[in-house]
Amino acid sequence: MELITDAHFWVGAAFVVFLAVLVLAGVHKFAWKALGDAGDKVRAQLDEANRLREEAQALLARIQADREQSEKLAAEIMANARDQATRMQAEAQVRLAEQLERRGQLAERRIATAEAQAAAEVKAAAGDLAANLAEQVLSARIAGAKSDPLIDAAIGQLAGKLQ
């Protein structure tokens, strides 16, 4: 009987009754269901995380492939640009050489024309000077001598031939 008066006994008995009421009420099913639902949520979140990780890896692989393609394209464009620049430089050098050659030829023609004009002017001036000197010499001889009609005629013809 001492057991009936012991407080620990009644606390233990009340606890056993409480557990029996919980089991009869089906609380354990709710607890298992809540734990199962939480587990399912965690599992779904893990599955979603794995799916997102796989998508991210696929996206990363695609981006890396695109980057490699872009780098190849950029290298190709740079090579083409270098080739084109080299071609353009060679063409420009050829055009410059041709232009310099044409300008040189033009300058030579101008120089030759100027030389020809200068030579013609010198010849004309020399001819005029020679005619004037010849006229003076002949005039001086004729003035010292009597006038001869043949000499006068020759002098008249000489002035016409020298000009």
Side-chain angles (χ1 to χ4, degrees):
M1 279 273 184
E2 278 182 39
L3 201 56
I4 296 178
T5 59
D6 188 24
H8 290 299
F9 171 74
W10 289 110
V11 170
F15 181 70
V16 170
V17 170
F18 176 71
L19 288 179
V21 169
L22 289 178
V23 169
L24 290 176
V27 172
H28 67 287
K29 292 178 185 174
F30 291 121
W32 282 114
K33 185 174 187 249
L35 288 175
D37 289 345
D40 290 342
K41 283 182 184 178
V42 169
R43 196 172 301 113
Q45 288 175 347
L46 286 175
D47 291 342
E48 179 70 14
N50 285 334
R51 186 184 62 77
L52 289 174
R53 187 176 127 261
E54 289 171 2
E55 285 180 13
Q57 286 177 340
L59 181 61
L60 177 63
R62 190 171 69 230
I63 288 172
Q64 287 175 342
D66 288 347
R67 189 193 74 202
E68 289 173 7
Q69 267 186 330
S70 297
E71 287 175 354
K72 286 179 184 176
L73 182 62
E76 207 173 288
I77 289 171
M78 288 298 294
N80 288 340
R82 279 190 211 105
D83 292 344
Q84 188 175 10
T86 303
R87 262 193 323 271
M88 290 174 72
Q89 183 181 11
E91 290 173 3
Q93 288 176 346
V94 168
R95 283 195 307 263
L96 179 63
E98 289 173 354
Q99 189 176 22
L100 288 174
E101 180 67 26
R102 282 193 307 268
R103 287 185 179 182
Q105 290 173 354
L106 180 63
E108 288 174 4
R109 282 192 299 249
R110 286 182 180 171
I111 290 170
T113 303
E115 285 176 352
Q117 285 177 345
E121 289 175 5
V122 168
K123 285 180 185 179
D128 288 342
L129 183 61
N132 287 337
L133 288 176
E135 187 178 338
Q136 288 176 2
V137 168
L138 289 176
S139 296
R141 281 190 188 170
I142 293 176
K146 291 196 171 180
S147 172
D148 187 8
L150 289 175
I151 293 176
D152 290 338
I155 290 174
Q157 288 177 357
L158 182 62
K161 287 182 181 179
L162 289 178
Q163 291 179 359

